[in-house]
Amino acid sequence: MNLFVFHTPELIPSGKTPDCAIAIDVLRATSTMATALNAGAEAVQVFSDLNELMRVSESWAPEKRIRAGERGGAKVEGFDFGNSPLDCTPEVVTGRRLFISTTNGTRALTSIQSAETVIAAALVNRQAVVDYLLARRPETVWLVGSGWEGSFSLEDTVCAGAIAHRLQVELGVPLEDLAGNDELISAVSLYSQWQDRLLELLHHATHGKRLLRLHCHEDLKYCSQTDLLNVLPIQREPGVL
Ligand code: 3SL
């Protein structure tokens, strides 16, 4: 297995396609997607465009759908949810489809559509993603951070490092055997330094600070937990996990 980290979707090399591509948006899109599926959502359908989300979800009965829209960290007016994983309780999401559009996370997922396998990962479902990689052993794996509007996000890169670190431990191989690029090595170093203080790291992150200003302390706490959910959000048809 050869692992590559790309800090943002913009850094993905053009003209190349990996066997498996993993989108990461710890704060908070992929944490929310994993939580919704774990809580019993029928599926998660991802949109870059809010109007398109509204149009497609219109054909679903209101009791069978939840519309989640986030821009700049805040809930979009007229939507059922913003982008908090804490809203995704079994009472609310079981049997319903989550139609979701967020600032960066859904864009990251859209940017890796050409990969044979597309997965959404966060710290909360790290081990489930690692288990999948160990079972399937794809040749080339991309770990793609969502970032924030084109810039690096600490929390996505530390999650990429958490996945790679766990894989390395379970495979019992030197990191060099897995590393496809230097970014992978730096992501593992970041994780190794902060693995016992992930919530603190999220408080240092620019987007963490943005969410704290929006009073999302509980979201940060929740998203900083590792291996909480045994769920693998894997794409079953374009845009649907
Ligand atoms: O950028 C995104 O996709 C979101 O996850 C951002 S937020 O955490 O909802 O603010």
Side-chain angles (χ1 to χ4, degrees):
M1 228 182 310
N2 223 354
L3 303 185
F4 296 78
V5 169
F6 300 107
H7 295 308
T8 66
E10 287 74 12
L11 293 170
I12 290 173
S14 56
K16 291 193 179 160
T17 309
D19 301 305
C20 176
I22 300 174
I24 301 171
D25 188 17
V26 170
L27 296 174
R28 296 167 291 175
T30 53
S31 299
T32 298
M33 291 170 196
T35 304
L37 290 170
N38 188 66
E42 176 266 322
V44 171
Q45 190 161 353
V46 173
F47 295 83
S48 313
D49 184 66
L50 292 166
N51 294 327
E52 183 65 1
L53 184 161
M54 279 297 183
R55 193 187 63 74
V56 173
S57 60
E58 204 47 54
S59 58
W60 287 66
E63 65 277 12
K64 287 282 174 199
R65 71 176 185 226
I66 296 170
R67 289 162 162 165
E70 168 276 330
R71 287 297 180 268
K75 174 173 172 283
V76 180
E77 214 186 303
F79 280 66
D80 305 310
F81 285 2
N83 184 25
S84 174
L86 302 179
D87 288 337
C88 299
T89 59
E91 297 72 35
V92 182
V93 303
T94 298
R96 299 168 81 181
R97 181 171 290 211
L98 184 72
F99 294 88
I100 185 167
S101 178
T102 70
T103 313
N104 303 286
T106 54
R107 204 163 51 96
L109 270 165
T110 308
S111 71
I112 55 174
Q113 287 300 308
S114 61
E116 205 173 293
T117 303
V118 172
I119 290 173
L123 290 167
V124 289
N125 69 332
R126 184 268 304 254
Q127 187 64 47
V129 173
V130 169
D131 289 343
Y132 173 86
L133 295 173
L134 288 169
R136 297 301 174 95
R137 311 266 170 138
E139 188 59 37
T140 311
V141 179
W142 288 0
L143 297 160
V144 181
S146 299
W148 185 270
E149 295 179 341
S151 337
F152 173 88
S153 280
L154 265 179
E155 65 278 10
D156 296 338
T157 297
V158 84
C159 180
I163 293 169
H165 178 266
R166 188 75 208 146
L167 264 176
Q168 188 206 345
V169 168
E170 297 219 14
L171 289 167
V173 296
L175 189 56
E176 286 68 30
D177 287 9
L178 288 176
N181 61 2
D182 290 358
E183 289 88 329
L184 188 280
I185 295 171
S186 75
V188 173
S189 303
L190 183 69
Y191 174 71
S192 300
Q193 187 176 347
W194 288 91
Q195 57 182 314
D196 300 323
R197 294 176 294 143
L198 289 169
L199 179 57
E200 190 185 332
L201 181 69
L202 264 49
H203 277 76
H204 288 308
T206 311
H207 186 46
K209 289 181 185 152
R210 184 180 295 113
L211 288 172
L212 289 172
R213 286 195 294 274
L214 293 167
H215 311 293
C216 297
H217 301 79
E218 293 304 318
D219 286 51
L220 260 71
K221 263 195 215 165
Y222 177 82
C223 295
S224 71
Q225 299 174 95
T226 308
D227 305 337
L228 184 69
L229 311 174
N230 186 17
V231 65
L232 184 75
I234 187 163
Q235 186 164 279
R236 32 170 146 139
E237 58 184 87
V240 181
L241 306 163

